[in-house]
Amino acid sequence: MPLTVLSDSDIRSLLLSLTKADIEVLQHNLSEALHDYSTGTQETTSACSANQPHRISMPADNDQTTLFMPASTSTSRGIKIVTISCPDTPSHEPSLSKLSIDSPRSPSSPRSSSPAPGSPSTRSSHSSIPTISHTPSFASSQSTIPTPSTPPTTSSPLSLPTQPTTPHGSLTLFTATGHPYALLSAPTLTAFRTALASTLILSKRTTVHSLLLFGAGLQAQWHIRLALLLRGPDIHHIDIVNRSFARAKQIMHDFYTAPSWAALRDANPKLKFSILSAEYGEYARLLKEHVRKADAIFCCTPSTAPLFPAEFLTSTEGRKKGRYLCMIGSYRPHMLELHPDILRQAVAAHAPHKHHHHKHADPGGVIVVDSLEACMKEAGEIIQAGVSPDKLVELGELLMVKKASMREVEMGVGEGEKGLRRWLVGGNVVYKSVGVGLMDVCVGEDLVKVAGERGVGTVVEGF
């Protein structure tokens, strides 16, 4: 039987060639697989959660961890094996009390929000040229690590791990009878399938004018690309918050110069970028502005402390606007990107006849997750917020079965499907993903098929 081998460059070139229609087909197939995962049984589908073993973690040297992720669909079996740098549980984190524009600065940081002389900054009135904002580094006091009983403090991009966290490894696919038929490199595949799932909800949102991304790695890059492919004309601003100015600048540079982004450039001539780094400017003030104006926030960092204060979103001012909050960077109990108070507010019970002096966005009452079982074991935000399983709804269940609306009808409260739709398209929707092997196998299957049709990759006959 022939074996198709797709290197990371093969996968990248293949993915960069995909159109909006191609992405929508892949999303449909992934939705179907996640639906089977959440609602299927062993009698009806091989993709049900009962047939998806939990991933195995094996410690390695130099703070590395190797993950073994087996999974199956109705047509394939597969296992992804990746090694990733894992941030240790920190002994100290920055204190929110020092996160202010008057905080002490490092010797290289200026007193004002203007870039230092000679720093890489550009400003232009031309609509297609980006605006780059610099932010200061800052000193901070110390506090204990986040636990369910100890409120976590807020991190800055400076507190993120210094080692690369891109997973390295491969996905092997087998037929239903056990014959290997494909070997795929994992780094770009992993980032793409994560973004493919995250943007399922983004596709349904009414307002997506302003996107905010924390991080500038592969995950952030693919979230930006898929967002623009799916909702390009609706997106006016993309703000990137990252520890390294240079890495974030590369994303922006690629958008404005790389041939692979030409179609998206032409389709979005008025799109503006801004970069908020930990090097210059008034970080706390600018961060608050970015968070408050965002319609969708994608957290793509392996952070061990919240990326911004909960008050930015939990206060009266922060709750006036509905947002899509997506957390995909943290994947262990001690890691988290959003403050637990944000999740607690999202699932808090609200009296049906309670009136507010200010208009608040619909909180929904649940957290959307890729896998209930995996998130209860691995998602630091879920664990530290003390969110119970009945407050979680799986993505496949939400998009296909609409469990939340049925629950409202059964309880005799709310507006059923109408209320669910209003929340999904305009309310505060929080999505947490730790990644499940089913996503890799499902997307991997489709990419092997497309690669065969387009003549991409290497085929080993008689393997």
Side-chain angles (χ1 to χ4, degrees):
M1 184 172 186
L3 177 78
T4 299
V5 180
L6 297 177
S7 67
D8 202 61
S9 61
D10 290 333
I11 293 173
R12 177 175 170 77
S13 64
L14 189 66
L15 295 178
L16 289 176
S17 72
L18 298 180
T19 64
K20 178 181 179 180
D22 295 329
I23 296 298
E24 289 174 340
V25 170
L26 295 181
Q27 282 194 328
H28 172 77
N29 293 342
L30 181 58
S31 296
E32 293 286 348
L34 292 173
H35 170 68
D36 288 344
Y37 176 85
S38 297
T39 65
T41 66
Q42 289 179 306
E43 290 74 27
T44 60
T45 176
S46 297
C48 68
S49 60
N51 288 343
Q52 314 299 325
H54 192 66
R55 63 185 173 206
I56 299 171
S57 176
M58 179 182 295
D61 295 335
N62 300 320
D63 295 325
Q64 304 283 307
T65 297
T66 298
L67 302 176
F68 299 81
M69 304 172 64
S72 64
T73 66
S74 59
T75 54
S76 294
R77 308 290 181 267
I79 182 167
K80 187 172 78 170
I81 304 175
V82 292
T83 298
I84 189 170
S85 176
C86 184
D88 291 327
T89 304
S91 57
H92 298 91
E93 293 293 347
S95 169
L96 181 57
S97 64
K98 294 293 184 179
L99 185 64
S100 69
I101 59 177
D102 296 322
S103 300
R105 291 164 173 79
S106 66
S108 62
S109 300
R111 292 291 301 176
S112 71
S113 61
S114 301
S119 63
S121 174
T122 63
R123 286 188 181 274
S124 171
S125 60
H126 193 281
S127 62
S128 64
I129 301 298
T131 298
I132 304 174
S133 303
H134 297 282
T135 63
S137 50
F138 56 89
S140 61
S141 61
Q142 310 296 329
S143 64
T144 58
I145 63 172
T147 65
S149 60
T150 304
T153 55
T154 297
S155 170
S156 81
L158 294 176
S159 68
L160 299 178
T162 56
Q163 289 184 319
T165 54
T166 299
H168 294 284
S170 62
L171 168 69
T172 305
L173 296 177
F174 305 85
T175 65
T177 55
H179 297 285
Y181 71 88
L183 180 66
L184 297 81
S185 181
T188 299
L189 169 65
T190 301
F192 174 79
R193 60 82 154 149
T194 304
L196 194 69
S198 300
T199 51
L200 282 167
I201 293 178
L202 185 74
S203 298
K204 299 181 180 297
R205 301 291 291 178
T206 300
T207 304
V208 293
H209 297 325
S210 179
L211 305 187
L212 173 61
L213 291 99
F214 287 89
L218 279 177
Q219 294 281 10
Q221 294 171 36
W222 281 105
H223 277 82
I224 290 174
R225 186 173 182 87
L226 292 191
L228 289 175
L229 273 169
L230 295 167
R231 300 296 303 272
D234 300 322
I235 300 172
H236 304 158
H237 301 275
I238 295 179
D239 302 318
I240 303 173
V241 178
N242 194 56
R243 175 184 56 205
S244 166
F245 169 82
R247 191 170 188 183
K249 183 183 177 183
Q250 186 60 50
I251 296 179
M252 182 189 69
H253 182 268
D254 288 346
F255 177 81
Y256 286 102
T257 63
S260 58
W261 290 84
L264 290 175
R265 280 198 302 273
D266 295 341
N268 303 277
K270 296 184 178 181
L271 178 67
K272 294 183 179 180
F273 279 83
S274 79
I275 297 173
L276 199 61
S277 75
E279 297 168 358
Y280 302 98
E282 297 175 345
Y283 181 80
R285 179 181 63 81
L286 295 173
L287 178 63
K288 185 176 182 178
E289 289 180 2
H290 283 329
V291 171
R292 286 276 175 87
K293 80 174 184 180
D295 298 305
I297 300 175
F298 294 97
C299 301
C300 309
T301 72
S303 182
T304 54
L307 296 169
F308 55 86
E311 179 272 339
F312 287 3
L313 297 182
T314 58
S315 67
T316 297
E317 186 67 27
R319 295 168 62 193
K320 288 182 179 179
K321 178 178 182 176
R323 296 175 182 85
Y324 173 40
L325 307 177
C326 173
M327 304 167 285
I328 58 90
S330 56
Y331 52 90
R332 298 189 71 182
H334 72 278
M335 301 169 68
L336 78 168
E337 298 175 287
L338 290 187
H339 196 290
D341 284 353
I342 297 174
L343 278 73
R344 293 187 187 109
Q345 185 181 82
V347 301
H350 294 267
H353 302 296
K354 185 176 180 180
H355 296 283
H356 300 283
H357 294 291
H358 300 278
K359 182 181 178 181
H360 292 165
D362 188 347
V366 294
I367 306 296
V368 184
V369 296
D370 54 356
S371 167
L372 189 152
E373 180 182 7
C375 284
M376 289 301 298
K377 292 179 179 178
E378 299 175 340
E381 294 91 352
I382 302 292
I383 295 169
Q384 295 186 40
V387 178
S388 58
D390 65 308
K391 295 295 185 179
L392 305 180
V393 58
E394 289 182 337
L395 182 59
E397 210 172 13
L398 175 69
L399 297 177
M400 306 296 288
V401 182
K402 303 179 181 178
K403 174 183 175 181
S405 66
M406 292 192 299
R407 182 183 301 166
E408 284 188 353
V409 172
E410 291 170 356
M411 295 176 63
V413 297
E415 299 178 83
E417 185 173 326
K418 183 179 178 181
L420 171 69
R421 180 175 294 276
R422 185 175 62 243
W423 164 66
L424 193 59
V425 303
N428 282 310
V429 178
V430 181
Y431 171 63
K432 175 62 189 177
S433 171
V434 293
V436 291
L438 177 66
M439 294 179 178
D440 299 296
V441 175
C442 175
V443 175
E445 282 184 290
D446 284 341
L447 293 187
V448 171
K449 180 180 178 181
V450 175
E453 295 170 349
R454 303 186 182 185
V456 177
T458 302
V459 177
V460 181
E461 298 292 346
F463 185 81

